[in-house]
Structures are given as structure tokens and as C-alpha cells.
Amino acid sequence: MEMVLLTALGVGGATVMGAIIGFIFKGISHRFSDIVLAFAAGVMLAAAVLGLVLPSVEYGGEYGLIIAVIGIFVGAICLFAVDKLVPHLHKMSGKDSEEHTANERLSKVMLFVMAIAIHNLPEGIAAGVGFGAGNTSQALMIAAGIALQNVPEGMVIIGPMLAAGVKPRRTFIYAMLTGLIEVVGTMIGYFAVSIASTILPFALAFAGGTMLYVISDEMIPETHAHGSEKAATFALLVGFCLMLVFDHLLG
């Protein structure tokens, strides 16, 4: 339990660490940000496949493959539904790229924070589910992948919020809240699987599906939006292969 709590704090704290870096280095280039985010996407991709989807197939027994496929799509569809139904604003890199219904009723800053929160909760659940499976090495791999993604995410949210006129102190508080949501998600995922171990194969695939959705819908398009597509692609491959090596060594 202590390991789960410490990991949850580490995953959430990675966003805060990124925010601190964002305050220190306000002029980070798009190219550098895209490369770091693409590397994190590769790490998360490996963590989702190796730490969540494949164990789901294994733990599901005779019907493991069917359960995994269903779980992946249910996870992705649920996140897609939340993405569409909850008013929020995608505004990484300081540019409005997508607006949703009822945006006018909320400030752009709060919409932006909600966008981060929407994706942080399932990421936290994925980390918690990994620990619920009982494989600590795989769980730590998943958590490490999510934490690595949270650092550049924390970096890129600072600039747009400061540009929108939010005071530095409040900006930092918002960054901390988005990290706290991930801590809560980790504990939800861990306790849900611990209480009902029969749902473990589906829960693993569900968490994997949410991560795959975030990678494809958010991270990869963001890293290809500023002319650094080739560098971002190779950074993703490096991140994926690095986690592949770690998984082999830990296995």
C-alpha cells in the first residue's frame, strides 16, 4: 500500500515538477517540447501495451483476447464520450485548436485545466490498476511512463495560463490540482481491482484503451503540429524501445 501511495504521489508530482520547469524556462521552443512529449508518448505506448493490454490477455484465460479487445474499445469510447460531453478547451502550446459546447459559460483558463484533468484521471486509474494486478515491476513501468508524460505536460500548461493573465501563484495551484487528480485516480484504480479481482482483465484493457486514446488523440497530433514531425517520430521510437528494454530486463 505504501508503494502505491508513494507512486501515486510521484506520478502526480511529475506534473508539478514540469510546471516548475515551465516557470523557470518560459521560452521553451516548440521543437524541444514536441520531442520531449513524443518521447513520453513512446514510453506511454509501451507501458500501455506491455503493462496493461498483454497482461489483460494473459489474466483473461480462455477469453482473454476477447476481453482485452472489448476493454480497449470501451476505455477509448468512454474517454471519447467524456471528451465530447464535458466542456473544455484544448490549448496546449498557447493556441486554441478545439472548442466544445458551452465553452462560453466557463473561462478559457478553467476549460484548459479541465482538459488536463479529463486525461489525468484515467492515466491515474491506469497506474492504480497496474498495482492491483500484483505485478510491481509492470506497475512501476506504467507509472514511470505516465510520470514522464506528465513532466512535459506540466511544462506546456504554464505559458498559456500566464499569457491568459492568470497570476503565477494561481497558475501553480492549478498545476498542483491537475497532479492531485492523478493521485486520486491511482488510488481509485488500485482499490477497484483489489476489491473485485474478477474485473482485473477488463480493467487492465480498459486502462490501456484510455491511454492509447490519449496518445493517438492528443499527444501525437500535438507533437506533429509545429514542423518537427520526423524528430518527434524518432523520439517516440526511442521512448518505446527504451521501455521495451526495461521490460525485458525486469522480466
Side-chain angles (χ1 to χ4, degrees):
M1 180 61 189
E2 290 182 3
M3 175 70 76
V4 179
L5 183 57
L6 288 173
T7 303
L9 293 173
V11 169
T15 301
V16 179
M17 182 185 301
I20 294 173
I21 296 173
F23 274 114
I24 297 173
F25 303 101
K26 296 185 178 67
I28 296 175
S29 68
H30 280 314
R31 180 178 176 81
F32 177 79
S33 176
D34 289 343
I35 290 173
V36 173
L37 191 59
F39 174 82
V43 170
M44 282 185 64
L45 182 59
V49 174
L50 301 175
L52 294 170
V53 175
L54 293 183
S56 170
V57 175
E58 179 183 347
Y59 293 138
E62 182 180 357
Y63 302 103
L65 184 59
I66 297 174
I67 293 172
V69 171
I70 293 174
I72 288 170
F73 275 96
V74 172
I77 291 170
C78 284
L79 201 55
F80 170 79
V82 172
D83 210 20
K84 289 297 182 184
L85 296 175
V86 178
H88 66 282
L89 180 69
H90 293 269
K91 193 184 176 186
M92 302 180 72
S93 308
K95 297 175 73 174
D96 296 351
S97 57
E98 181 182 351
E99 294 193 12
H100 293 264
T101 306
N103 278 0
E104 63 275 8
R105 284 178 282 172
L106 297 169
S107 72
K108 286 187 176 182
V109 170
M110 291 308 300
L111 291 169
F112 182 43
V113 172
M114 288 177 67
I116 301 298
I118 286 170
H119 299 142
N120 278 5
L121 183 62
E123 287 173 7
I125 291 174
V129 167
F131 276 102
N135 191 324
T136 303
S137 62
Q138 283 187 339
L140 289 174
M141 180 183 71
I142 296 167
I146 295 171
L148 280 174
Q149 182 265 338
N150 285 346
V151 173
E153 182 178 82
M155 290 165 57
V156 301
I157 66 175
I158 297 301
M161 294 179 72
L162 293 175
V166 182
K167 294 181 179 179
R169 181 178 178 182
R170 181 169 294 184
T171 297
F172 187 70
I173 291 175
Y174 285 151
M176 289 185 63
L177 288 176
T178 60
L180 179 62
I181 289 172
E182 203 138 16
V183 175
V184 173
T186 301
M187 303 312 295
I188 290 174
Y190 173 72
F191 283 116
V193 174
S194 299
I195 293 171
S197 59
T198 55
I199 69 169
L200 177 60
F202 178 82
L204 286 168
F206 179 93
T210 61
M211 287 180 67
L212 291 173
Y213 179 89
V214 170
I215 293 166
S216 179
D217 185 64
E218 293 289 332
M219 299 178 71
I220 293 177
E222 174 66 19
T223 62
H224 284 60
H226 313 109
S228 303
E229 295 87 351
K230 293 295 186 294
T233 297
F234 280 102
L236 184 147
L237 293 174
V238 170
F240 184 90
C241 291
L242 182 63
M243 294 304 286
L244 192 62
V245 170
F246 283 161
D247 180 68
H248 178 75
L249 293 177
L250 292 173

